[in-house]
Amino acid sequence: IYYRLRALSTLHPECEYIFQLEKEERHCLQHVAAQANRSHEGCRPFWDAVICWPHAVVGEMVARVCPEVFSRFKNITGTVSRNCTSEGWSRPFPPHHIACSVDDDIPETEESYFVTVKLIYTIGYSVSLVVLVVAVLILLLFRRLRCARNFIHIQLFMTFILKALAVFIKDAALFSNDDINHCTFSTFSCKSSVVFCHYCVMANFFWLLVEALYLNSLLLSSFCHSRRCLWGFSLLGWGVPVLFIILWIGSRVYFEDTECWDINEDSPYWWIIKGPIVVSIAVNFLLFTNIIRILIQKLNPRLIQFNNSSQYRRLTKSTLLLIPLFGTHYVFFNFLPDYFSISLRLCLELCLGSFQGFLVAILYCFLNQEVQKEVHMQWMRWQERSYGVVPPAAKGSQMDTPF
């Protein structure tokens, strides 16, 4: 009983609304069953999906107060009446949706908005998935592109790929059927899809942090190229999220095992996942601020040689382009209540966020001069082998930006 009450106390408000109505329905049906063997003249007791009506004699008008659960959300206490006639109960007056402020249907404009958001982020994740897979294959297939820098890029690409797949799996598990009652739907598969999605999101943020750490150390000429450093980055990007996900799973199993673990409003345990993400975003922002400070100093003509100025100008441009891609806007939105500006939050986190992997792949791979030259060189070699065409020699050069 304790754990049942504990679960009910942490329900989403809409689920609490449904469960309270179901509870009142059970009590009403028990009362109706108890009165079934008695012979009554007039109107028999019954449940009309909202209010329980008692026995009444012909000609009697019965007034019932709306269920208490309605007053919790609308702060309105209405009354519904019915007349008992020789033909049975009359229609309720005023109707339930007026007296009790019951609104079962989602407004058409709101429903259309959600459908549009889902369509946009589905397209965004699909495009990002294809582009990211191609980018990973390019960085893996060409030996000359295998280095510590591109190792980190590949890991970041993989987190975006897994994040896109996790969103598709979660949608299939939770929203494939419109008839699913999300207040009672609780299966191992749906909980696993939610856990996998949270892990992929956390890993994505932590590998963005690794990218920021790498870029910062590159400018300070302090980056360690040994395998130990790469193992450390891998532990931070893939291992640390596992620790927090395990802690969150334990807290949900023992203290908040409700629904499919997909509702986190007002849950203190949600900060086990949200907290590290917010910290990683804040550190990312500080690292980028430090990068800009270093670049401003290095771009001062009195402090650098002329032949290095173009290098740092390109580095500055790349860094500024990456600031919005690394989730710095989440610093603002993560400290706001979950109910604040839901439309704007959905637009940023789902619609724009779904194209984040696509933009990162373009900047890190397809606009990378080293990648372009290597692909071009391999293309010319293929033409030479296939058609006997001897193309002009292409001079390879090291990439002069960290991307």
Side-chain angles (χ1 to χ4, degrees), residues 52-70:
C52 187
W53 297 92
H55 168 261
V57 298
V58 176
E60 182 181 1
M61 185 183 75
V62 178
R64 303 290 286 178
V65 178
C66 294
E68 181 185 358
V69 68
F70 292 107

Side-chain angles (χ1 to χ4, degrees), residues 119-128 132 160 163 325 347-362:
L119 177 63
I120 293 174
Y121 78 69
T122 300
I123 294 174
Y125 282 121
S126 300
V127 172
S128 297
L132 286 163
F160 279 111
K163 181 180 175 181
L325 298 180
C347 183
L348 285 173
E349 295 185 4
L350 294 178
C351 297
L352 295 182
S354 64
F355 288 95
Q356 185 178 4
F358 168 77
L359 294 174
V360 169
I362 295 296

